[in-house]
Amino acid sequence: NVTACYIPATNSAKLYVGDAVYFSGSNASAIEEYKIGNLPLVVKAGASTAIDGVIVGFLPNGAFTGATFWPASTAGVALVVTNKEVTFNIQATGAVAAADVGKYAKISTATAGDDYSGISGMALDYSTMSADDKSLPLKILNVADYVQNEYGNYAIVEVELNTPVAPAASGSAASGSVASGSVASGSL
């Protein structure tokens, strides 16, 4: 499912396709055709934050159109995958081995997204992988099926969100699909 979510003007960070987000209330102002309170409000996730979804696009508004990312301090609408069964591909910040399948990990937000491509810089923080800490937001499922991608340094791995929840508000859901159920390499 892809859910339309509110980005408040108080958001202080740029948002990119592939950024993990969490819900924090609902929209306090009307935007586009959405009335007040109809959209879950999204905030960019931090390293240990429970993740409610992943941004797959943006709906343009009169103030900002055509960009590959969403600028800070600009209200808008993000399209967010919230389906618990969707898996994502994400690049690790270091070495991942076959023995790491089933482990949990944090997100690294150390690298900024790319303004030109609009792709997130979020990565799987390999130094936080744990078989025991099930409170971490990502669960490693496998190495992603890409040509010349294999276990080792900076592998792209398939993950599931460990802590997804339903949206806080009952917004309109947009229909659509994400290519192969994943987002481009190097992003969640």
Side-chain angles (χ1 to χ4, degrees):
N1 296 4
V2 177
T3 303
C5 298
Y6 180 66
I7 305 167
T10 56
N11 174 53
S12 62
K14 290 180 184 176
L15 295 173
Y16 297 88
V17 170
D19 276 351
V21 294
Y22 67 91
F23 298 124
S24 178
S26 62
N27 58 314
S29 2
I31 186 161
E32 299 287 323
E33 69 272 11
Y34 302 102
K35 295 178 183 172
I36 294 172
N38 284 355
L39 299 179
L41 186 144
V42 290
V43 178
K44 192 172 192 171
S48 300
T49 309
I51 300 169
D52 292 320
V54 176
I55 294 175
V56 294
F58 304 98
L59 294 179
N61 66 30
F64 191 81
T65 60
T68 57
F69 63 92
W70 201 261
S73 305
T74 305
V77 177
L79 299 175
V80 178
V81 171
T82 57
N83 187 323
K84 296 177 184 183
E85 296 179 18
V86 174
T87 62
F88 299 93
N89 295 338
I90 186 169
Q91 187 170 11
T93 58
V96 177
D100 295 324
V101 169
K103 289 185 178 178
Y104 301 88
K106 290 181 181 180
I107 292 173
S108 169
T109 58
T111 303
D114 183 277
D115 288 358
Y116 180 75
S117 70
I119 300 297
S120 174
M122 288 186 172
L124 181 140
D125 185 349
Y126 85 104
S127 69
T128 65
M129 290 187 300
S130 169
D132 302 321
D133 190 352
K134 295 180 180 176
S135 69
L136 298 176
L138 302 177
K139 181 178 182 183
I140 300 169
L141 301 176
N142 207 343
V143 66
D145 188 18
Y146 289 109
V147 175
Q148 296 184 352
N149 183 49
E150 57 189 33
Y151 289 110
N153 284 330
Y154 310 108
I156 299 168
V157 293
E158 181 181 9
V159 298
E160 67 183 6
L161 304 182
N162 189 37
T163 53
V165 295
S170 58
S172 301
S175 62
S177 63
V178 180
S180 302
S182 64
V183 178
S185 64
S187 63
L188 186 64

